[in-house]
């Protein structure tokens, strides 16, 4: 396709508003708990406004555990994801691709295109394709490869194409090569931080079993369900603390109120979806103090 036509399709001249009212958001992760860590607070804020949020795990989580695996673990992970979604009022779908074996195939790309189209998404969130885990990397590639294709009617013809390319965002991460994450949008989650912890707490097999085991901290996890949730709320895994490099974007939109923000989630706007103006960002993220 000609580059100028491509630009015209991506930078739409349509008025500044979301594709849908209320805004519809879909987030992808490789494993049941990835979306929760990256955007659980944002999702809780949207859900509280009555906006529609869906989390999708591209794999069924049937490998990442020290003592369980296969179909039994997949069933457990799916139930945990359903419970996590229920706790903050969003949908949660776990696709049946194998954990630890995800590849950026045409088949999985089409699964992603269908999900975005069926959800009629205004915003799509995914990991960057730079990460320690191959499933995370390929989730980033798969969503990147679906962006733009979601508006092409001749592809995946069983699901109607979107008329407007959504805004595609990356979750924050710590990886610096080939380039570091850039915080374009930083949202305070102080008001929903305990809700986010409550959501993570539903993933028992992850936060109280597998992840502590990989860190050699399994013995530190309290046995009591109330005590372990308190432990999780102060664990670096869950804490979502504002990073110094997020401050500029935080101050840009919160002004003087930024100084008091403790917990936040940050997102980078990818180059491959619609490029929102500042006015549209404030429509899509209706959380910032009015200018
Ligand atoms: Zn993961």
């Amino acid at each position: 396709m000609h580059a100028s036509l491509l630009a015209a399709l991506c930078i739409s001249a349509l008025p500044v508003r979301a594709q849908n009212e209320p805004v519809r958001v879909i987030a992808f992760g490789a494993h049941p708990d990835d979306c929760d860590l990256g955007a659980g607070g944002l999702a809780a804020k949207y859900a509280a406004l009555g906006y529609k949020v869906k989390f999708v795990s591209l794999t069924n989580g049937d490998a990442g555990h020290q003592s369980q695996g296969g179909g039994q673990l997949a069933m457990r992970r799916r139930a945990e994801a359903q419970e996590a979604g229920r706790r903050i009022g969003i949908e949660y779908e776990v696709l049946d691709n194998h954990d630890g074996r995800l590849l950026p195939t045409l088949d999985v790309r089409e699964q992603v295109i269908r999900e975005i189209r069926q959800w009629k998404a205004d915003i799509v969130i995914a990991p960057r394709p730079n990460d320690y885990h191959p499933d995370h990397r390929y989730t980033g590639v798969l969503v990147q490869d679906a962006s733009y294709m979601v508006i092409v009617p001749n592809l995946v013809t069983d699901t109607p194409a979107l008329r407007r390319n959504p805004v595609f965002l990356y979750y924050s991460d710590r990886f610096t090569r080939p380039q570091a994450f850039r915080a374009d949008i930083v949202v305070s989650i102080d008001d929903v931080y305990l809700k986010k912890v409550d959501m993570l707490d539903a993933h028992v097999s992850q936060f109280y079993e597998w992840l502590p085991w990989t860190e050699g901290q399994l013995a530190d996890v309290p046995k009591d369900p109330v005590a372990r949730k308190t432990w999780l709320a102060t664990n670096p895994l869950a804490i979502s603390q504002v990073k110094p490099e997020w401050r500029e974007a935080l101050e840009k939109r919160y002004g003087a109120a930024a100084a008091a923000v403790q917990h936040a989630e940050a997102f980078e706007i990818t180059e491959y979806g619609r490029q929102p103006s500042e006015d549209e960002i404030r429509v899509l993220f209706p959380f910032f103090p009015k200018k």
Side-chain angles (χ1 to χ4, degrees):
M1 181 175 290
H2 195 272
S4 63
L5 178 55
L6 177 65
L9 285 166
C10 291
I11 305 165
S12 167
L14 292 170
V16 173
R17 60 169 186 78
Q19 186 148 263
N20 305 284
E21 183 59 46
V23 174
R24 297 179 69 88
V25 181
I26 191 164
F28 292 89
H31 308 113
D33 78 336
D34 289 351
C35 299
D36 316 49
L37 283 167
L42 178 69
K45 289 173 82 83
Y46 279 128
L49 291 176
Y51 290 12
K52 299 295 176 199
V53 183
K54 182 175 187 179
F55 282 0
V56 180
S57 173
L58 292 189
T59 80
N60 59 17
D62 63 356
H65 198 277
Q66 69 277 28
S67 57
Q68 301 175 358
Q72 289 280 29
L73 181 59
M75 279 174 60
R76 192 175 174 211
R77 291 263 156 89
R78 180 168 281 112
E80 289 173 349
Q82 298 295 331
E83 173 62 13
R86 190 194 65 75
R87 288 186 185 187
I88 66 162
I90 66 163
E91 278 199 35
Y92 210 131
E93 184 174 0
V94 177
L95 301 183
D96 224 2
N97 304 300
H98 287 298
D99 185 1
R101 301 177 67 191
L102 187 68
L103 287 173
T105 62
L106 203 47
D107 176 52
V108 186
R109 186 202 294 176
E110 291 184 349
Q111 293 173 20
V112 171
I113 291 172
R114 275 190 197 93
E115 289 285 347
I116 295 170
R117 287 180 176 179
Q118 283 166 355
W119 196 247
K120 298 183 169 64
D122 296 296
I123 297 173
V124 180
I125 315 177
R128 296 197 307 151
N130 316 312
D131 198 286
Y132 73 98
H133 197 305
D135 290 350
H136 297 174
R137 278 203 291 281
Y138 293 137
T139 299
V141 169
L142 284 156
V143 177
Q144 185 172 291
D145 288 354
S147 64
Y148 180 67
M149 293 304 169
V150 295
I151 65 166
V152 179
N154 271 332
L155 294 173
V156 196
T157 53
D158 57 22
T159 311
L162 298 181
R163 291 292 293 121
R164 295 184 84 191
N165 207 8
V167 174
F168 285 76
L169 304 176
Y170 294 128
Y171 305 109
S172 66
D173 63 59
R174 61 187 162 81
F175 303 100
T176 58
R177 294 184 186 189
Q179 68 223 1
F181 168 82
R182 181 189 69 217
D184 292 324
I185 297 170
V186 182
V187 177
S188 165
I189 61 161
D190 282 334
D191 55 334
V192 291
Y193 180 61
L194 291 178
K195 266 194 183 178
K196 178 172 181 175
V197 173
D198 194 35
M199 180 180 215
L200 300 180
D201 173 72
H203 295 280
V204 172
S205 69
Q206 299 273 15
F207 293 104
Y208 303 131
E209 297 174 15
W210 169 239
L211 294 170
W213 182 83
T214 63
E215 301 287 322
Q217 296 174 348
L218 195 55
D220 301 343
V221 181
K223 297 280 174 283
D224 172 66
V226 176
R228 74 185 180 188
K229 195 167 168 180
T230 307
W231 171 85
L232 182 62
T234 56
N235 192 290
L237 256 178
I239 206 157
S240 318
Q241 218 154 18
V242 176
K243 294 184 177 157
E245 59 270 29
W246 298 357
R247 280 280 163 203
E248 192 183 328
L250 199 61
E251 283 162 12
K252 176 177 170 184
R253 304 223 170 75
Y254 285 89
V261 175
Q262 293 189 312
H263 304 101
E265 288 168 353
F267 304 92
E268 177 176 333
I269 300 169
T270 84
E271 297 175 285
Y272 309 122
R274 195 168 73 253
Q275 301 297 293
S277 65
E278 183 62 24
D279 285 347
E280 190 182 3
I281 287 173
R282 287 172 181 272
V283 170
L284 295 174
F285 296 85
F287 311 116
F288 307 124
K290 298 276 173 280
K291 278 193 278 190

PDB file of all heavy atoms in Angstrom, residues 259-279:
ATOM      1  N   ALA A 259       3.251  15.298  42.483  1.00  0.00           N
ATOM      2  CA  ALA A 259       4.228  15.061  43.555  1.00  0.00           C
ATOM      3  C   ALA A 259       3.725  14.059  44.583  1.00  0.00           C
ATOM      4  O   ALA A 259       4.516  13.341  45.200  1.00  0.00           O
ATOM      5  CB  ALA A 259       4.564  16.392  44.235  1.00  0.00           C
ATOM      6  N   ALA A 260       2.414  13.985  44.769  1.00  0.00           N
ATOM      7  CA  ALA A 260       1.851  13.106  45.801  1.00  0.00           C
ATOM      8  C   ALA A 260       1.588  11.681  45.293  1.00  0.00           C
ATOM      9  O   ALA A 260       1.260  10.791  46.073  1.00  0.00           O
ATOM     10  CB  ALA A 260       0.541  13.707  46.326  1.00  0.00           C
ATOM     11  N   VAL A 261       1.729  11.470  43.977  1.00  0.00           N
ATOM     12  CA  VAL A 261       1.388  10.152  43.413  1.00  0.00           C
ATOM     13  C   VAL A 261       2.448   9.117  43.799  1.00  0.00           C
ATOM     14  O   VAL A 261       3.644   9.349  43.617  1.00  0.00           O
ATOM     15  CB  VAL A 261       1.245  10.232  41.871  1.00  0.00           C
ATOM     16  CG1 VAL A 261       1.015   8.847  41.278  1.00  0.00           C
ATOM     17  CG2 VAL A 261       0.112  11.181  41.486  1.00  0.00           C
ATOM     18  N   GLN A 262       1.998   7.989  44.329  1.00  0.00           N
ATOM     19  CA  GLN A 262       2.931   6.930  44.746  1.00  0.00           C
ATOM     20  C   GLN A 262       2.916   5.723  43.808  1.00  0.00           C
ATOM     21  O   GLN A 262       3.953   5.193  43.451  1.00  0.00           O
ATOM     22  CB  GLN A 262       2.562   6.469  46.158  1.00  0.00           C
ATOM     23  CG  GLN A 262       2.804   7.554  47.199  1.00  0.00           C
ATOM     24  CD  GLN A 262       2.633   6.991  48.586  1.00  0.00           C
ATOM     25  OE1 GLN A 262       1.642   6.300  48.865  1.00  0.00           O
ATOM     26  NE2 GLN A 262       3.574   7.265  49.462  1.00  0.00           N
ATOM     27  N   HIS A 263       1.695   5.279  43.484  1.00  0.00           N
ATOM     28  CA  HIS A 263       1.561   4.109  42.609  1.00  0.00           C
ATOM     29  C   HIS A 263       1.028   4.539  41.258  1.00  0.00           C
ATOM     30  O   HIS A 263       0.092   5.350  41.182  1.00  0.00           O
ATOM     31  CB  HIS A 263       0.599   3.083  43.203  1.00  0.00           C
ATOM     32  CG  HIS A 263       0.976   2.629  44.579  1.00  0.00           C
ATOM     33  ND1 HIS A 263       0.370   3.103  45.714  1.00  0.00           N
ATOM     34  CD2 HIS A 263       1.922   1.773  45.003  1.00  0.00           C
ATOM     35  CE1 HIS A 263       0.923   2.553  46.775  1.00  0.00           C
ATOM     36  NE2 HIS A 263       1.877   1.737  46.377  1.00  0.00           N
ATOM     37  N   ALA A 264       1.617   4.002  40.196  1.00  0.00           N
ATOM     38  CA  ALA A 264       1.179   4.399  38.855  1.00  0.00           C
ATOM     39  C   ALA A 264       1.447   3.266  37.874  1.00  0.00           C
ATOM     40  O   ALA A 264       2.178   2.318  38.169  1.00  0.00           O
ATOM     41  CB  ALA A 264       1.921   5.661  38.411  1.00  0.00           C
ATOM     42  N   GLU A 265       0.808   3.379  36.726  1.00  0.00           N
ATOM     43  CA  GLU A 265       1.131   2.507  35.587  1.00  0.00           C
ATOM     44  C   GLU A 265       1.458   3.401  34.394  1.00  0.00           C
ATOM     45  O   GLU A 265       0.814   4.428  34.193  1.00  0.00           O
ATOM     46  CB  GLU A 265      -0.054   1.581  35.272  1.00  0.00           C
ATOM     47  CG  GLU A 265      -0.209   0.489  36.336  1.00  0.00           C
ATOM     48  CD  GLU A 265      -1.502  -0.288  36.260  1.00  0.00           C
ATOM     49  OE1 GLU A 265      -2.391   0.073  35.475  1.00  0.00           O
ATOM     50  OE2 GLU A 265      -1.640  -1.261  37.009  1.00  0.00           O
ATOM     51  N   ALA A 266       2.475   2.982  33.636  1.00  0.00           N
ATOM     52  CA  ALA A 266       2.954   3.810  32.528  1.00  0.00           C
ATOM     53  C   ALA A 266       2.813   3.045  31.215  1.00  0.00           C
ATOM     54  O   ALA A 266       2.933   1.805  31.183  1.00  0.00           O
ATOM     55  CB  ALA A 266       4.412   4.197  32.757  1.00  0.00           C
ATOM     56  N   PHE A 267       2.575   3.805  30.150  1.00  0.00           N
ATOM     57  CA  PHE A 267       2.368   3.218  28.833  1.00  0.00           C
ATOM     58  C   PHE A 267       3.086   4.037  27.777  1.00  0.00           C
ATOM     59  O   PHE A 267       3.186   5.252  27.887  1.00  0.00           O
ATOM     60  CB  PHE A 267       0.864   3.152  28.518  1.00  0.00           C
ATOM     61  CG  PHE A 267       0.095   2.398  29.576  1.00  0.00           C
ATOM     62  CD1 PHE A 267      -0.473   3.076  30.652  1.00  0.00           C
ATOM     63  CD2 PHE A 267       0.014   1.015  29.542  1.00  0.00           C
ATOM     64  CE1 PHE A 267      -1.133   2.384  31.665  1.00  0.00           C
ATOM     65  CE2 PHE A 267      -0.639   0.315  30.549  1.00  0.00           C
ATOM     66  CZ  PHE A 267      -1.211   1.007  31.616  1.00  0.00           C
ATOM     67  N   GLU A 268       3.567   3.328  26.746  1.00  0.00           N
ATOM     68  CA  GLU A 268       4.186   3.983  25.597  1.00  0.00           C
ATOM     69  C   GLU A 268       3.237   3.846  24.403  1.00  0.00           C
ATOM     70  O   GLU A 268       2.679   2.760  24.187  1.00  0.00           O
ATOM     71  CB  GLU A 268       5.534   3.308  25.284  1.00  0.00           C
ATOM     72  CG  GLU A 268       6.232   3.874  24.057  1.00  0.00           C
ATOM     73  CD  GLU A 268       7.616   3.248  23.817  1.00  0.00           C
ATOM     74  OE1 GLU A 268       8.265   2.799  24.795  1.00  0.00           O
ATOM     75  OE2 GLU A 268       8.024   3.204  22.641  1.00  0.00           O
ATOM     76  N   ILE A 269       3.055   4.913  23.639  1.00  0.00           N
ATOM     77  CA  ILE A 269       2.211   4.857  22.433  1.00  0.00           C
ATOM     78  C   ILE A 269       3.050   4.288  21.299  1.00  0.00           C
ATOM     79  O   ILE A 269       4.109   4.834  20.969  1.00  0.00           O
ATOM     80  CB  ILE A 269       1.692   6.263  22.065  1.00  0.00           C
ATOM     81  CG1 ILE A 269       0.860   6.841  23.220  1.00  0.00           C
ATOM     82  CG2 ILE A 269       0.874   6.206  20.772  1.00  0.00           C
ATOM     83  CD1 ILE A 269       0.516   8.315  23.068  1.00  0.00           C
ATOM     84  N   THR A 270       2.594   3.178  20.708  1.00  0.00           N
ATOM     85  CA  THR A 270       3.377   2.578  19.627  1.00  0.00           C
ATOM     86  C   THR A 270       3.213   3.404  18.350  1.00  0.00           C
ATOM     87  O   THR A 270       2.250   4.154  18.202  1.00  0.00           O
ATOM     88  CB  THR A 270       2.971   1.119  19.321  1.00  0.00           C
ATOM     89  OG1 THR A 270       1.848   1.133  18.437  1.00  0.00           O
ATOM     90  CG2 THR A 270       2.645   0.353  20.580  1.00  0.00           C
ATOM     91  N   GLU A 271       4.144   3.197  17.440  1.00  0.00           N
ATOM     92  CA  GLU A 271       4.089   3.934  16.167  1.00  0.00           C
ATOM     93  C   GLU A 271       3.131   3.290  15.174  1.00  0.00           C
ATOM     94  O   GLU A 271       2.926   3.827  14.094  1.00  0.00           O
ATOM     95  CB  GLU A 271       5.486   3.945  15.529  1.00  0.00           C
ATOM     96  CG  GLU A 271       6.523   4.663  16.340  1.00  0.00           C
ATOM     97  CD  GLU A 271       7.899   4.541  15.715  1.00  0.00           C
ATOM     98  OE1 GLU A 271       8.512   3.454  15.805  1.00  0.00           O
ATOM     99  OE2 GLU A 271       8.356   5.534  15.127  1.00  0.00           O
ATOM    100  N   TYR A 272       2.555   2.146  15.535  1.00  0.00           N
ATOM    101  CA  TYR A 272       1.851   1.348  14.524  1.00  0.00           C
ATOM    102  C   TYR A 272       0.340   1.495  14.537  1.00  0.00           C
ATOM    103  O   TYR A 272      -0.328   1.028  13.623  1.00  0.00           O
ATOM    104  CB  TYR A 272       2.238  -0.131  14.669  1.00  0.00           C
ATOM    105  CG  TYR A 272       3.730  -0.314  14.709  1.00  0.00           C
ATOM    106  CD1 TYR A 272       4.354  -0.931  15.788  1.00  0.00           C
ATOM    107  CD2 TYR A 272       4.515   0.167  13.669  1.00  0.00           C
ATOM    108  CE1 TYR A 272       5.729  -1.072  15.820  1.00  0.00           C
ATOM    109  CE2 TYR A 272       5.893   0.032  13.694  1.00  0.00           C
ATOM    110  CZ  TYR A 272       6.497  -0.595  14.770  1.00  0.00           C
ATOM    111  OH  TYR A 272       7.850  -0.735  14.800  1.00  0.00           O
ATOM    112  N   GLY A 273      -0.203   2.112  15.568  1.00  0.00           N
ATOM    113  CA  GLY A 273      -1.646   2.332  15.585  1.00  0.00           C
ATOM    114  C   GLY A 273      -1.956   3.789  15.324  1.00  0.00           C
ATOM    115  O   GLY A 273      -1.108   4.547  14.850  1.00  0.00           O
ATOM    116  N   ARG A 274      -3.215   4.180  15.654  1.00  0.00           N
ATOM    117  CA  ARG A 274      -3.571   5.592  15.492  1.00  0.00           C
ATOM    118  C   ARG A 274      -2.722   6.425  16.443  1.00  0.00           C
ATOM    119  O   ARG A 274      -2.436   5.997  17.555  1.00  0.00           O
ATOM    120  CB  ARG A 274      -5.067   5.785  15.788  1.00  0.00           C
ATOM    121  CG  ARG A 274      -5.580   7.129  15.297  1.00  0.00           C
ATOM    122  CD  ARG A 274      -7.082   7.244  15.297  1.00  0.00           C
ATOM    123  NE  ARG A 274      -7.617   7.360  16.639  1.00  0.00           N
ATOM    124  CZ  ARG A 274      -8.262   6.405  17.271  1.00  0.00           C
ATOM    125  NH1 ARG A 274      -8.436   5.238  16.678  1.00  0.00           N
ATOM    126  NH2 ARG A 274      -8.728   6.594  18.471  1.00  0.00           N
ATOM    127  N   GLN A 275      -2.318   7.611  15.992  1.00  0.00           N
ATOM    128  CA  GLN A 275      -1.496   8.503  16.817  1.00  0.00           C
ATOM    129  C   GLN A 275      -2.420   9.549  17.435  1.00  0.00           C
ATOM    130  O   GLN A 275      -2.882  10.451  16.737  1.00  0.00           O
ATOM    131  CB  GLN A 275      -0.413   9.162  15.955  1.00  0.00           C
ATOM    132  CG  GLN A 275       0.518   8.158  15.268  1.00  0.00           C
ATOM    133  CD  GLN A 275       1.317   7.315  16.278  1.00  0.00           C
ATOM    134  OE1 GLN A 275       2.170   7.834  16.984  1.00  0.00           O
ATOM    135  NE2 GLN A 275       1.025   6.020  16.345  1.00  0.00           N
ATOM    136  N   PRO A 276      -2.742   9.430  18.720  1.00  0.00           N
ATOM    137  CA  PRO A 276      -3.733  10.331  19.312  1.00  0.00           C
ATOM    138  C   PRO A 276      -3.142  11.716  19.591  1.00  0.00           C
ATOM    139  O   PRO A 276      -1.988  11.835  20.001  1.00  0.00           O
ATOM    140  CB  PRO A 276      -4.107   9.632  20.616  1.00  0.00           C
ATOM    141  CG  PRO A 276      -2.880   8.855  20.985  1.00  0.00           C
ATOM    142  CD  PRO A 276      -2.232   8.443  19.689  1.00  0.00           C
ATOM    143  N   SER A 277      -3.967  12.743  19.379  1.00  0.00           N
ATOM    144  CA  SER A 277      -3.584  14.102  19.781  1.00  0.00           C
ATOM    145  C   SER A 277      -3.689  14.196  21.303  1.00  0.00           C
ATOM    146  O   SER A 277      -4.258  13.305  21.960  1.00  0.00           O
ATOM    147  CB  SER A 277      -4.540  15.116  19.147  1.00  0.00           C
ATOM    148  OG  SER A 277      -5.841  14.905  19.680  1.00  0.00           O
ATOM    149  N   GLU A 278      -3.193  15.284  21.868  1.00  0.00           N
ATOM    150  CA  GLU A 278      -3.303  15.470  23.316  1.00  0.00           C
ATOM    151  C   GLU A 278      -4.780  15.506  23.747  1.00  0.00           C
ATOM    152  O   GLU A 278      -5.149  14.950  24.774  1.00  0.00           O
ATOM    153  CB  GLU A 278      -2.571  16.743  23.745  1.00  0.00           C
ATOM    154  CG  GLU A 278      -2.552  16.989  25.250  1.00  0.00           C
ATOM    155  CD  GLU A 278      -1.830  15.901  26.039  1.00  0.00           C
ATOM    156  OE1 GLU A 278      -0.973  15.197  25.486  1.00  0.00           O
ATOM    157  OE2 GLU A 278      -2.163  15.727  27.243  1.00  0.00           O
ATOM    158  N   ASP A 279      -5.625  16.138  22.923  1.00  0.00           N
ATOM    159  CA  ASP A 279      -7.060  16.187  23.258  1.00  0.00           C
ATOM    160  C   ASP A 279      -7.648  14.777  23.281  1.00  0.00           C
ATOM    161  O   ASP A 279      -8.459  14.445  24.143  1.00  0.00           O
ATOM    162  CB  ASP A 279      -7.820  17.043  22.237  1.00  0.00           C
ATOM    163  CG  ASP A 279      -7.569  18.531  22.445  1.00  0.00           C
ATOM    164  OD1 ASP A 279      -7.010  18.906  23.505  1.00  0.00           O
ATOM    165  OD2 ASP A 279      -7.917  19.321  21.548  1.00  0.00           O
TER     166      ASP A 279
END
